Amino acid sequence: MREVLHLQVGQCGNQVGAKFWETISAEHGILPNGHFDEENEMPESLDRIDVYWNEVSGGRYVPRAVVIDLEPGVIDVIKASKYGGAFRPDNFVHGQNGAGNNWATGHYTEGAELADNVMDAVRKEFEACDSPQGFQLCHSLGGGTGSGFGTLLLNRLREEYYDRIIMSFSVYPSPKVSDVVVEPYNALLSMHQLIENTDESFCFDNEALYRICTETLMIKTPNYSDLNGLVCNTMAGITTSLRFPGQLNADLRKLAVNMVPFPRLHFFVSSYAPLLSEANAKFRAHRVQDLISQLFDSKSMMADCNPSFGKYLTVACMLRGKISMREVDKHMADLQTKHSSSFVEWVPSNVKTACCNVPPKGLNVAGTFIGNNTSIHECFGRTLERFSQMFSRRAFTHWYTGEGMDLQEFTEAENNLRDLCTEYLKYQECGSEDGSEDEDEVYEED
């Protein structure tokens, strides 16, 4: 089977990851003790169970996951949780001192000491697979462990498993949901690594998640649990085509081939539907047209950028539930015609749709959207702006150089991210008639 190995790093990564496993276990009918729920009425539940679970003696299913942190607190909470007993004990790897919100500590000192232990756990899981397709990493970019240690692990995975697909679910920082002053430094240094060491990166921006909770879901004071719920529902939707049979984009490599036109432009915005407040949910019918409209709505995007200011290079939609494909194709075609200026001209067939008969738990229909849109550079631009304000005074840099880091790394990371923003803008403004003129230049860059 085409197995995926899941890694979750740091406090945010572990909280989102734990919720992700809880969500997909419920979809597949896996009970907290690891056994299959015999009362489950969906025959597709076990068809591709091997993608995310190992079947062990006694008919138990164990998540193929490595749970990582530089301090034991969050991991102890996961162990004591409802699904904590489902994970393999050897795959809990933690340090004692933490990273102290410092990227350099997670990447160079505390993280470097723990990296070999993590890679040993990864190697055991990888070698037990028949035909592994790649890795997925769940982390945040604002703290020290998810950003510093998370990107160190990406580096090690790229070196050791260079021919496998690496996918990241990355939560970007926001001033509205934060108490970490050095977030711009941590996020910029992490982005530098994500550009080089991932094949697909799904961007979740705390700014956008906070806005969806307050404006769409009508939650007055959202907490991390609310934000994590949005992320894990979207993750479950994105991985639907890996977990259930008969899908387009049935593995990580096919998804990458369909979504990434140029190697560096692999950062995706995503959305999920239906998103309704509890008060409104009982008064709305979930029609296909409404789902597709909400998926493409800028207010539903999990990254704080406005797709109408950019252009879609590629798009994928996964719809779940008993839905007519003819109706889906009709509404997708209508939307492309109506908003033709939002799609680049030089990729003729850049919208892919897939349908799965298995809806999420508690819903009849749902949809998940993945878009490679040039407006993602807005998120990167905000990080660059906040970084420049602090770095121009060299504020807080002594905490990083004290861990053995060179200031030159900040400059390299800044230049790399500015180059990425420039590339996105270049392809946004490039028309179909410009292709032949720029062709030689593009090939030289690649």
Side-chain angles (χ1 to χ4, degrees):
M1 202 61 191
R2 303 285 288 146
E3 297 95 346
V4 175
L5 177 52
H6 171 95
L7 295 92
Q8 51 193 59
V9 185
Q11 181 172 348
C12 173
N14 276 305
Q15 288 173 342
V16 172
K19 186 70 177 170
F20 168 73
W21 282 106
E22 194 174 321
T23 302
I24 66 170
S25 293
E27 288 184 9
H28 285 271
I30 304 299
L31 300 170
N33 61 10
H35 290 282
F36 180 68
D37 184 1
E38 298 297 338
E39 296 179 6
N40 189 300
E41 297 176 356
M42 294 183 293
E44 306 96 333
S45 295
L46 295 180
D47 284 2
R48 286 193 181 177
I49 195 76
D50 291 344
V51 172
Y52 277 97
W53 280 268
N54 291 315
E55 187 175 1
V56 296
S57 57
R60 286 189 67 223
Y61 294 95
V62 179
R64 191 178 296 103
V66 182
V67 182
I68 307 149
D69 204 353
L70 291 178
E71 55 189 358
V74 178
I75 288 183
D76 288 342
V77 171
I78 292 176
K79 286 179 179 177
S81 69
K82 181 179 177 183
Y83 279 84
F87 294 93
R88 183 178 169 184
D90 291 351
N91 288 357
F92 289 103
V93 185
H94 64 83
Q96 294 297 331
N97 300 324
N101 293 325
N102 187 333
W103 185 91
T105 305
H107 201 82
Y108 288 116
T109 50
E110 294 291 337
E113 291 177 13
L114 200 64
D116 287 339
N117 292 345
V118 174
M119 291 307 294
D120 286 343
V122 168
R123 217 169 281 118
K124 285 177 185 173
E125 287 289 357
F126 192 85
E127 288 169 0
C129 297
D130 292 331
S131 178
Q133 57 178 306
F135 305 88
Q136 71 175 41
L137 173 75
C138 194
H139 67 143
S140 74
L141 304 189
T145 305
S147 63
F149 193 30
T151 52
L152 173 63
L153 292 177
L154 287 175
N155 211 333
R156 295 285 296 268
L157 290 173
R158 178 60 84 206
E159 284 178 9
E160 196 160 332
Y161 305 104
Y162 56 87
D163 58 340
R164 304 296 168 183
I165 296 291
I166 298 176
M167 173 170 70
S168 80
F169 295 96
S170 307
V171 180
Y172 287 69
S174 155
K176 290 184 182 176
V177 195
S178 165
D179 54 358
V180 181
V181 178
V182 292
E183 273 183 347
Y185 286 167
N186 296 335
L188 184 92
L189 292 164
S190 300
M191 278 296 305
H192 180 47
Q193 300 289 327
L194 289 174
I195 293 169
E196 308 301 332
N197 294 321
T198 58
D199 299 292
E200 305 160 23
S201 189
F202 297 92
C203 306
F204 299 94
D205 190 323
N206 269 336
E207 193 97 19
L209 297 172
Y210 188 88
R211 188 194 66 238
I212 290 170
C213 284
T214 53
E215 296 179 10
T216 307
L217 301 180
M218 303 298 179
I219 302 170
K220 290 182 180 177
T221 53
N223 54 32
Y224 282 118
S225 178
D226 298 318
L227 304 186
N228 293 345
L230 284 174
V231 176
C232 95
N233 284 339
T234 310
M235 285 176 65
I238 290 169
T239 59
T240 299
S241 60
L242 309 178
R243 298 184 287 113
F244 293 106
Q247 304 296 314
L248 175 76
N249 298 335
D251 63 33
L252 297 182
R253 195 170 297 278
K254 285 182 183 177
L255 183 62
V257 168
N258 277 310
M259 292 296 296
V260 184
F262 305 104
R264 285 165 60 87
L265 309 190
H266 56 253
F267 295 90
F268 309 143
V269 294
S270 52
S271 68
Y272 178 81
L275 288 174
L276 296 169
S277 64
E278 286 185 23
N280 288 332
K282 60 186 78 170
F283 298 102
R284 293 287 294 272
H286 303 310
R287 297 181 304 163
V288 171
Q289 185 178 357
D290 297 334
L291 279 182
I292 292 173
S293 296
Q294 189 172 34
L295 287 175
F296 278 86
D297 188 350
S298 59
K299 292 178 182 176
S300 303
M301 296 299 160
M302 305 278 177
D304 195 30
C305 59
N306 192 336
S308 59
F309 294 159
K311 288 194 173 184
Y312 286 109
L313 303 175
T314 49
V315 166
C317 278
M318 286 84 165
L319 297 169
R320 307 180 61 181
K322 293 182 179 178
I323 294 172
S324 161
M325 270 312 287
R326 179 181 293 181
E327 194 179 355
V328 171
D329 291 340
K330 176 184 178 297
H331 290 303
M332 291 297 288
D334 290 346
L335 187 138
Q336 281 179 266
T337 305
K338 186 178 177 182
H339 301 285
S340 58
S341 60
S342 298
F343 298 86
V344 294
E345 304 163 8
W346 39 273
V347 185
S349 178
N350 57 357
V351 178
K352 303 292 182 188
T353 52
C355 265
C356 169
N357 292 331
V358 183
K361 205 75 173 172
L363 290 171
N364 293 324
V365 291
T368 310
F369 164 93
I370 308 168
N372 193 343
N373 192 288
T374 57
S375 66
I376 191 73
H377 73 81
E378 292 175 22
C379 297
F380 307 152
R382 276 195 304 275
T383 300
L384 282 166
E385 183 182 350
R386 292 171 60 209
F387 165 82
S388 298
Q389 288 170 349
M390 291 204 303
F391 191 66
S392 62
R393 304 289 183 189
R394 300 296 188 268
F396 301 102
T397 54
H398 64 284
W399 294 109
Y400 292 79
T401 54
E403 299 291 337
M405 186 177 148
D406 193 333
L407 279 181
Q408 186 66 26
E409 282 191 56
F410 283 112
T411 311
E412 287 175 10
E414 181 184 16
N415 292 339
N416 197 9
L417 194 52
R418 287 195 191 282
D419 289 346
L420 182 69
C421 291
T422 304
E423 285 176 56
Y424 270 113
L425 286 168
K426 170 188 168 185
Y427 292 115
Q428 175 178 317
E429 294 156 7
C430 172
S432 57
E433 67 277 0
D434 302 328
S436 56
E437 297 172 17
D438 294 346
E439 191 173 2
D440 295 336
E441 182 188 342
V442 171
Y443 282 131
E444 283 170 14
E445 285 177 4
D446 293 346

